[in-house]
Structure formats: structure tokens, C-alpha cells
Amino acid sequence: MAYATCADVEARWRTLTADEQDKATVLLEDASVELSRLVRVDISDQQQAAALRIVCCNMVIRSMVASTSDTYGVGELQATMGPFGQTAKFANPNGDLYVTKQERKLLGIRGGAGRTLRPSIGGDLRAQLPDAL
């Protein structure tokens, strides 16, 4: 189940062609799967549902903007003409779906915490691991 629809994407971006709607539908499903792996979803929480819809749409828009570029897949582009030069490096050259730091805050996802495991000779290392792992 996708957390957003093509209509949600269009409301936040622009009207999509029929082919773009097909692609957006698939990407919305993919983004929703990724988000469901990051967030414990509470179906009764309307505020969380709105945040998931926003982030899902943002992920799809970023991906579609990158994939419609004439330079899709380019990590860096350099052009020179006489004494003038131009260099561009794309933020998402492959159209990957990802969540930004701000979106993680919106979803209530905290940053990872480092953990130290003491070496154990002949002991059970699992006893040192937290239940969350």
C-alpha cells in the first residue's frame, strides 16, 4: 500500500503525463516500502500519515526529476569553451529514492547511535547485544 497517490505528487509538483503517472505509481510503491522499513506505522495517527505522504512524494519527485534529465546517470559534467568553463555535479544522478535528514526529523527517526562490544573470549557475544539488534 502506497502512502501517497499520483494526485498527491501532482499537487506538490506538476501535472504528469500518462507515462509519468505509471512510473510515479511504481515509485510511490517503492518509496512506501522503504519508508515502512524505517518507521513503525500507526494507522490511527493522522499526523504520521500526512508526514509519510509528504516524504513519499518528495522521494518520488527527486527520483523523477533526476531521471528526466538529459544527463541521467552523470555524476559530474564539465564544459569548456575558450576561456569559459562550467562544472556541474548532480545530487541524485541515478534517480535513487532516499530520505533527507529533514525528512527523517519529520518522521521522528533519530540518528543512529554507535555501540561498543567488549571482546569475549570463550563467552557468548549475544549476551552483550541489545534486544533491538
Side-chain angles (χ1 to χ4, degrees), residues 69-98:
S69 167
D70 289 337
T71 52
Y72 176 68
V74 175
E76 189 170 318
L77 175 68
Q78 183 174 348
T80 305
M81 181 177 279
F84 304 103
Q86 178 182 5
T87 301
K89 184 175 182 180
F90 300 95
N92 189 14
N94 297 317
D96 295 332
L97 294 168
Y98 63 90

PDB file of all heavy atoms in Angstrom, residues 69-98:
ATOM      1  N   SER A  69      16.203  14.136 -16.609  1.00  0.00           N
ATOM      2  CA  SER A  69      17.293  14.985 -17.056  1.00  0.00           C
ATOM      3  C   SER A  69      17.967  14.371 -18.280  1.00  0.00           C
ATOM      4  O   SER A  69      18.054  13.149 -18.417  1.00  0.00           O
ATOM      5  CB  SER A  69      18.308  15.127 -15.914  1.00  0.00           C
ATOM      6  OG  SER A  69      19.505  15.678 -16.384  1.00  0.00           O
ATOM      7  N   ASP A  70      18.446  15.226 -19.172  1.00  0.00           N
ATOM      8  CA  ASP A  70      19.183  14.742 -20.342  1.00  0.00           C
ATOM      9  C   ASP A  70      20.503  14.087 -19.945  1.00  0.00           C
ATOM     10  O   ASP A  70      21.101  13.377 -20.725  1.00  0.00           O
ATOM     11  CB  ASP A  70      19.479  15.895 -21.308  1.00  0.00           C
ATOM     12  CG  ASP A  70      18.225  16.383 -22.004  1.00  0.00           C
ATOM     13  OD1 ASP A  70      17.249  15.611 -22.089  1.00  0.00           O
ATOM     14  OD2 ASP A  70      18.227  17.536 -22.471  1.00  0.00           O
ATOM     15  N   THR A  71      20.947  14.356 -18.744  1.00  0.00           N
ATOM     16  CA  THR A  71      22.225  13.833 -18.283  1.00  0.00           C
ATOM     17  C   THR A  71      22.017  12.776 -17.209  1.00  0.00           C
ATOM     18  O   THR A  71      22.810  12.648 -16.279  1.00  0.00           O
ATOM     19  CB  THR A  71      23.092  14.977 -17.729  1.00  0.00           C
ATOM     20  OG1 THR A  71      22.327  15.692 -16.767  1.00  0.00           O
ATOM     21  CG2 THR A  71      23.525  15.912 -18.841  1.00  0.00           C
ATOM     22  N   TYR A  72      20.952  11.992 -17.333  1.00  0.00           N
ATOM     23  CA  TYR A  72      20.628  10.958 -16.361  1.00  0.00           C
ATOM     24  C   TYR A  72      21.810  10.013 -16.166  1.00  0.00           C
ATOM     25  O   TYR A  72      22.377   9.515 -17.130  1.00  0.00           O
ATOM     26  CB  TYR A  72      19.405  10.178 -16.843  1.00  0.00           C
ATOM     27  CG  TYR A  72      19.023   9.018 -15.964  1.00  0.00           C
ATOM     28  CD1 TYR A  72      18.531   9.231 -14.688  1.00  0.00           C
ATOM     29  CD2 TYR A  72      19.181   7.715 -16.396  1.00  0.00           C
ATOM     30  CE1 TYR A  72      18.174   8.185 -13.878  1.00  0.00           C
ATOM     31  CE2 TYR A  72      18.830   6.655 -15.587  1.00  0.00           C
ATOM     32  CZ  TYR A  72      18.322   6.902 -14.339  1.00  0.00           C
ATOM     33  OH  TYR A  72      17.979   5.856 -13.536  1.00  0.00           O
ATOM     34  N   GLY A  73      22.186   9.798 -14.921  1.00  0.00           N
ATOM     35  CA  GLY A  73      23.269   8.883 -14.604  1.00  0.00           C
ATOM     36  C   GLY A  73      24.639   9.529 -14.563  1.00  0.00           C
ATOM     37  O   GLY A  73      25.614   8.880 -14.218  1.00  0.00           O
ATOM     38  N   VAL A  74      24.741  10.819 -14.901  1.00  0.00           N
ATOM     39  CA  VAL A  74      26.026  11.501 -14.913  1.00  0.00           C
ATOM     40  C   VAL A  74      26.333  11.983 -13.508  1.00  0.00           C
ATOM     41  O   VAL A  74      25.507  12.618 -12.860  1.00  0.00           O
ATOM     42  CB  VAL A  74      26.012  12.689 -15.892  1.00  0.00           C
ATOM     43  CG1 VAL A  74      27.308  13.477 -15.819  1.00  0.00           C
ATOM     44  CG2 VAL A  74      25.782  12.192 -17.302  1.00  0.00           C
ATOM     45  N   GLY A  75      27.518  11.660 -13.021  1.00  0.00           N
ATOM     46  CA  GLY A  75      27.919  12.100 -11.697  1.00  0.00           C
ATOM     47  C   GLY A  75      28.554  13.468 -11.714  1.00  0.00           C
ATOM     48  O   GLY A  75      28.509  14.205 -10.743  1.00  0.00           O
ATOM     49  N   GLU A  76      29.156  13.833 -12.822  1.00  0.00           N
ATOM     50  CA  GLU A  76      29.790  15.135 -12.933  1.00  0.00           C
ATOM     51  C   GLU A  76      29.836  15.510 -14.404  1.00  0.00           C
ATOM     52  O   GLU A  76      30.007  14.655 -15.274  1.00  0.00           O
ATOM     53  CB  GLU A  76      31.206  15.084 -12.357  1.00  0.00           C
ATOM     54  CG  GLU A  76      31.850  16.436 -12.230  1.00  0.00           C
ATOM     55  CD  GLU A  76      33.148  16.385 -11.439  1.00  0.00           C
ATOM     56  OE1 GLU A  76      33.188  15.694 -10.418  1.00  0.00           O
ATOM     57  OE2 GLU A  76      34.096  17.041 -11.871  1.00  0.00           O
ATOM     58  N   LEU A  77      29.678  16.790 -14.715  1.00  0.00           N
ATOM     59  CA  LEU A  77      29.664  17.273 -16.079  1.00  0.00           C
ATOM     60  C   LEU A  77      30.554  18.501 -16.152  1.00  0.00           C
ATOM     61  O   LEU A  77      30.473  19.377 -15.302  1.00  0.00           O
ATOM     62  CB  LEU A  77      28.229  17.635 -16.497  1.00  0.00           C
ATOM     63  CG  LEU A  77      28.039  18.272 -17.865  1.00  0.00           C
ATOM     64  CD1 LEU A  77      28.355  17.254 -18.950  1.00  0.00           C
ATOM     65  CD2 LEU A  77      26.610  18.756 -18.002  1.00  0.00           C
ATOM     66  N   GLN A  78      31.409  18.562 -17.147  1.00  0.00           N
ATOM     67  CA  GLN A  78      32.287  19.702 -17.303  1.00  0.00           C
ATOM     68  C   GLN A  78      32.233  20.152 -18.747  1.00  0.00           C
ATOM     69  O   GLN A  78      32.316  19.335 -19.670  1.00  0.00           O
ATOM     70  CB  GLN A  78      33.719  19.345 -16.913  1.00  0.00           C
ATOM     71  CG  GLN A  78      34.668  20.502 -16.992  1.00  0.00           C
ATOM     72  CD  GLN A  78      36.046  20.148 -16.473  1.00  0.00           C
ATOM     73  OE1 GLN A  78      36.237  19.108 -15.856  1.00  0.00           O
ATOM     74  NE2 GLN A  78      37.001  20.999 -16.715  1.00  0.00           N
ATOM     75  N   ALA A  79      32.099  21.454 -18.969  1.00  0.00           N
ATOM     76  CA  ALA A  79      32.077  22.015 -20.313  1.00  0.00           C
ATOM     77  C   ALA A  79      33.004  23.220 -20.349  1.00  0.00           C
ATOM     78  O   ALA A  79      33.017  24.034 -19.435  1.00  0.00           O
ATOM     79  CB  ALA A  79      30.660  22.431 -20.691  1.00  0.00           C
ATOM     80  N   THR A  80      33.778  23.313 -21.422  1.00  0.00           N
ATOM     81  CA  THR A  80      34.711  24.425 -21.575  1.00  0.00           C
ATOM     82  C   THR A  80      34.590  24.974 -22.991  1.00  0.00           C
ATOM     83  O   THR A  80      34.527  24.216 -23.952  1.00  0.00           O
ATOM     84  CB  THR A  80      36.162  23.969 -21.333  1.00  0.00           C
ATOM     85  OG1 THR A  80      36.237  23.348 -20.060  1.00  0.00           O
ATOM     86  CG2 THR A  80      37.125  25.123 -21.401  1.00  0.00           C
ATOM     87  N   MET A  81      34.551  26.293 -23.094  1.00  0.00           N
ATOM     88  CA  MET A  81      34.547  26.950 -24.389  1.00  0.00           C
ATOM     89  C   MET A  81      35.445  28.172 -24.278  1.00  0.00           C
ATOM     90  O   MET A  81      35.104  29.138 -23.609  1.00  0.00           O
ATOM     91  CB  MET A  81      33.130  27.363 -24.797  1.00  0.00           C
ATOM     92  CG  MET A  81      33.087  28.024 -26.167  1.00  0.00           C
ATOM     93  SD  MET A  81      31.418  28.421 -26.672  1.00  0.00           S
ATOM     94  CE  MET A  81      30.897  26.837 -27.256  1.00  0.00           C
ATOM     95  N   GLY A  82      36.583  28.075 -24.912  1.00  0.00           N
ATOM     96  CA  GLY A  82      37.543  29.166 -24.814  1.00  0.00           C
ATOM     97  C   GLY A  82      37.977  29.360 -23.375  1.00  0.00           C
ATOM     98  O   GLY A  82      38.303  28.395 -22.669  1.00  0.00           O
ATOM     99  N   PRO A  83      37.931  30.593 -22.882  1.00  0.00           N
ATOM    100  CA  PRO A  83      38.354  30.844 -21.503  1.00  0.00           C
ATOM    101  C   PRO A  83      37.260  30.546 -20.469  1.00  0.00           C
ATOM    102  O   PRO A  83      37.480  30.674 -19.274  1.00  0.00           O
ATOM    103  CB  PRO A  83      38.678  32.341 -21.511  1.00  0.00           C
ATOM    104  CG  PRO A  83      37.786  32.903 -22.554  1.00  0.00           C
ATOM    105  CD  PRO A  83      37.675  31.832 -23.610  1.00  0.00           C
ATOM    106  N   PHE A  84      36.088  30.148 -20.926  1.00  0.00           N
ATOM    107  CA  PHE A  84      34.974  29.926 -20.012  1.00  0.00           C
ATOM    108  C   PHE A  84      34.783  28.437 -19.753  1.00  0.00           C
ATOM    109  O   PHE A  84      34.884  27.618 -20.656  1.00  0.00           O
ATOM    110  CB  PHE A  84      33.684  30.519 -20.581  1.00  0.00           C
ATOM    111  CG  PHE A  84      33.795  31.976 -20.901  1.00  0.00           C
ATOM    112  CD1 PHE A  84      33.955  32.399 -22.212  1.00  0.00           C
ATOM    113  CD2 PHE A  84      33.768  32.925 -19.894  1.00  0.00           C
ATOM    114  CE1 PHE A  84      34.078  33.736 -22.513  1.00  0.00           C
ATOM    115  CE2 PHE A  84      33.886  34.265 -20.186  1.00  0.00           C
ATOM    116  CZ  PHE A  84      34.045  34.682 -21.500  1.00  0.00           C
ATOM    117  N   GLY A  85      34.480  28.117 -18.532  1.00  0.00           N
ATOM    118  CA  GLY A  85      34.247  26.721 -18.177  1.00  0.00           C
ATOM    119  C   GLY A  85      33.078  26.596 -17.225  1.00  0.00           C
ATOM    120  O   GLY A  85      32.725  27.542 -16.521  1.00  0.00           O
ATOM    121  N   GLN A  86      32.465  25.431 -17.246  1.00  0.00           N
ATOM    122  CA  GLN A  86      31.342  25.169 -16.352  1.00  0.00           C
ATOM    123  C   GLN A  86      31.441  23.736 -15.868  1.00  0.00           C
ATOM    124  O   GLN A  86      31.716  22.825 -16.646  1.00  0.00           O
ATOM    125  CB  GLN A  86      30.020  25.371 -17.088  1.00  0.00           C
ATOM    126  CG  GLN A  86      28.818  25.071 -16.247  1.00  0.00           C
ATOM    127  CD  GLN A  86      27.520  25.230 -17.025  1.00  0.00           C
ATOM    128  OE1 GLN A  86      27.515  25.485 -18.218  1.00  0.00           O
ATOM    129  NE2 GLN A  86      26.417  25.076 -16.333  1.00  0.00           N
ATOM    130  N   THR A  87      31.223  23.541 -14.582  1.00  0.00           N
ATOM    131  CA  THR A  87      31.228  22.208 -13.996  1.00  0.00           C
ATOM    132  C   THR A  87      29.951  22.047 -13.186  1.00  0.00           C
ATOM    133  O   THR A  87      29.553  22.960 -12.480  1.00  0.00           O
ATOM    134  CB  THR A  87      32.456  22.013 -13.077  1.00  0.00           C
ATOM    135  OG1 THR A  87      33.639  22.211 -13.847  1.00  0.00           O
ATOM    136  CG2 THR A  87      32.480  20.627 -12.476  1.00  0.00           C
ATOM    137  N   ALA A  88      29.330  20.891 -13.296  1.00  0.00           N
ATOM    138  CA  ALA A  88      28.124  20.606 -12.518  1.00  0.00           C
ATOM    139  C   ALA A  88      28.224  19.197 -11.967  1.00  0.00           C
ATOM    140  O   ALA A  88      28.667  18.288 -12.656  1.00  0.00           O
ATOM    141  CB  ALA A  88      26.887  20.738 -13.391  1.00  0.00           C
ATOM    142  N   LYS A  89      27.833  19.025 -10.727  1.00  0.00           N
ATOM    143  CA  LYS A  89      27.780  17.706 -10.110  1.00  0.00           C
ATOM    144  C   LYS A  89      26.354  17.513  -9.619  1.00  0.00           C
ATOM    145  O   LYS A  89      25.835  18.344  -8.887  1.00  0.00           O
ATOM    146  CB  LYS A  89      28.765  17.605  -8.952  1.00  0.00           C
ATOM    147  CG  LYS A  89      28.810  16.240  -8.350  1.00  0.00           C
ATOM    148  CD  LYS A  89      29.887  16.132  -7.294  1.00  0.00           C
ATOM    149  CE  LYS A  89      29.912  14.726  -6.768  1.00  0.00           C
ATOM    150  NZ  LYS A  89      30.923  14.550  -5.749  1.00  0.00           N
ATOM    151  N   PHE A  90      25.713  16.437 -10.019  1.00  0.00           N
ATOM    152  CA  PHE A  90      24.313  16.223  -9.715  1.00  0.00           C
ATOM    153  C   PHE A  90      24.141  15.542  -8.363  1.00  0.00           C
ATOM    154  O   PHE A  90      24.868  14.619  -8.026  1.00  0.00           O
ATOM    155  CB  PHE A  90      23.649  15.412 -10.824  1.00  0.00           C
ATOM    156  CG  PHE A  90      23.723  16.112 -12.148  1.00  0.00           C
ATOM    157  CD1 PHE A  90      24.735  15.834 -13.037  1.00  0.00           C
ATOM    158  CD2 PHE A  90      22.803  17.082 -12.469  1.00  0.00           C
ATOM    159  CE1 PHE A  90      24.826  16.492 -14.251  1.00  0.00           C
ATOM    160  CE2 PHE A  90      22.873  17.747 -13.679  1.00  0.00           C
ATOM    161  CZ  PHE A  90      23.890  17.452 -14.569  1.00  0.00           C
ATOM    162  N   ALA A  91      23.132  15.985  -7.609  1.00  0.00           N
ATOM    163  CA  ALA A  91      22.899  15.460  -6.268  1.00  0.00           C
ATOM    164  C   ALA A  91      22.362  14.038  -6.295  1.00  0.00           C
ATOM    165  O   ALA A  91      22.646  13.247  -5.414  1.00  0.00           O
ATOM    166  CB  ALA A  91      21.919  16.361  -5.519  1.00  0.00           C
ATOM    167  N   ASN A  92      21.585  13.692  -7.305  1.00  0.00           N
ATOM    168  CA  ASN A  92      20.981  12.363  -7.386  1.00  0.00           C
ATOM    169  C   ASN A  92      21.061  11.871  -8.830  1.00  0.00           C
ATOM    170  O   ASN A  92      20.046  11.760  -9.509  1.00  0.00           O
ATOM    171  CB  ASN A  92      19.529  12.425  -6.896  1.00  0.00           C
ATOM    172  CG  ASN A  92      18.904  11.058  -6.752  1.00  0.00           C
ATOM    173  OD1 ASN A  92      19.583  10.044  -6.757  1.00  0.00           O
ATOM    174  ND2 ASN A  92      17.596  11.028  -6.635  1.00  0.00           N
ATOM    175  N   PRO A  93      22.255  11.571  -9.300  1.00  0.00           N
ATOM    176  CA  PRO A  93      22.418  11.266 -10.725  1.00  0.00           C
ATOM    177  C   PRO A  93      21.696  10.016 -11.198  1.00  0.00           C
ATOM    178  O   PRO A  93      21.372   9.898 -12.362  1.00  0.00           O
ATOM    179  CB  PRO A  93      23.934  11.121 -10.891  1.00  0.00           C
ATOM    180  CG  PRO A  93      24.431  10.755  -9.542  1.00  0.00           C
ATOM    181  CD  PRO A  93      23.514  11.463  -8.572  1.00  0.00           C
ATOM    182  N   ASN A  94      21.410   9.078 -10.322  1.00  0.00           N
ATOM    183  CA  ASN A  94      20.782   7.825 -10.740  1.00  0.00           C
ATOM    184  C   ASN A  94      19.293   7.756 -10.429  1.00  0.00           C
ATOM    185  O   ASN A  94      18.659   6.733 -10.655  1.00  0.00           O
ATOM    186  CB  ASN A  94      21.492   6.634 -10.089  1.00  0.00           C
ATOM    187  CG  ASN A  94      22.919   6.539 -10.543  1.00  0.00           C
ATOM    188  OD1 ASN A  94      23.213   6.707 -11.726  1.00  0.00           O
ATOM    189  ND2 ASN A  94      23.823   6.308  -9.618  1.00  0.00           N
ATOM    190  N   GLY A  95      18.733   8.821  -9.883  1.00  0.00           N
ATOM    191  CA  GLY A  95      17.310   8.828  -9.565  1.00  0.00           C
ATOM    192  C   GLY A  95      16.950   7.919  -8.404  1.00  0.00           C
ATOM    193  O   GLY A  95      15.851   7.379  -8.344  1.00  0.00           O
ATOM    194  N   ASP A  96      17.877   7.759  -7.461  1.00  0.00           N
ATOM    195  CA  ASP A  96      17.633   6.900  -6.303  1.00  0.00           C
ATOM    196  C   ASP A  96      16.553   7.494  -5.396  1.00  0.00           C
ATOM    197  O   ASP A  96      16.407   8.706  -5.300  1.00  0.00           O
ATOM    198  CB  ASP A  96      18.917   6.722  -5.490  1.00  0.00           C
ATOM    199  CG  ASP A  96      19.994   5.990  -6.262  1.00  0.00           C
ATOM    200  OD1 ASP A  96      19.649   5.187  -7.143  1.00  0.00           O
ATOM    201  OD2 ASP A  96      21.184   6.233  -5.984  1.00  0.00           O
ATOM    202  N   LEU A  97      15.842   6.618  -4.715  1.00  0.00           N
ATOM    203  CA  LEU A  97      14.886   7.037  -3.694  1.00  0.00           C
ATOM    204  C   LEU A  97      15.646   7.129  -2.373  1.00  0.00           C
ATOM    205  O   LEU A  97      16.310   6.174  -1.967  1.00  0.00           O
ATOM    206  CB  LEU A  97      13.757   6.010  -3.573  1.00  0.00           C
ATOM    207  CG  LEU A  97      12.840   5.866  -4.782  1.00  0.00           C
ATOM    208  CD1 LEU A  97      11.956   4.635  -4.639  1.00  0.00           C
ATOM    209  CD2 LEU A  97      11.993   7.109  -4.960  1.00  0.00           C
ATOM    210  N   TYR A  98      15.577   8.275  -1.710  1.00  0.00           N
ATOM    211  CA  TYR A  98      16.251   8.423  -0.422  1.00  0.00           C
ATOM    212  C   TYR A  98      15.492   9.414   0.447  1.00  0.00           C
ATOM    213  O   TYR A  98      14.667  10.180  -0.039  1.00  0.00           O
ATOM    214  CB  TYR A  98      17.711   8.868  -0.602  1.00  0.00           C
ATOM    215  CG  TYR A  98      17.875  10.230  -1.237  1.00  0.00           C
ATOM    216  CD1 TYR A  98      17.936  11.378  -0.461  1.00  0.00           C
ATOM    217  CD2 TYR A  98      17.964  10.367  -2.618  1.00  0.00           C
ATOM    218  CE1 TYR A  98      18.088  12.625  -1.044  1.00  0.00           C
ATOM    219  CE2 TYR A  98      18.115  11.609  -3.210  1.00  0.00           C
ATOM    220  CZ  TYR A  98      18.179  12.733  -2.420  1.00  0.00           C
ATOM    221  OH  TYR A  98      18.315  13.971  -2.998  1.00  0.00           O
TER     222      TYR A  98
END
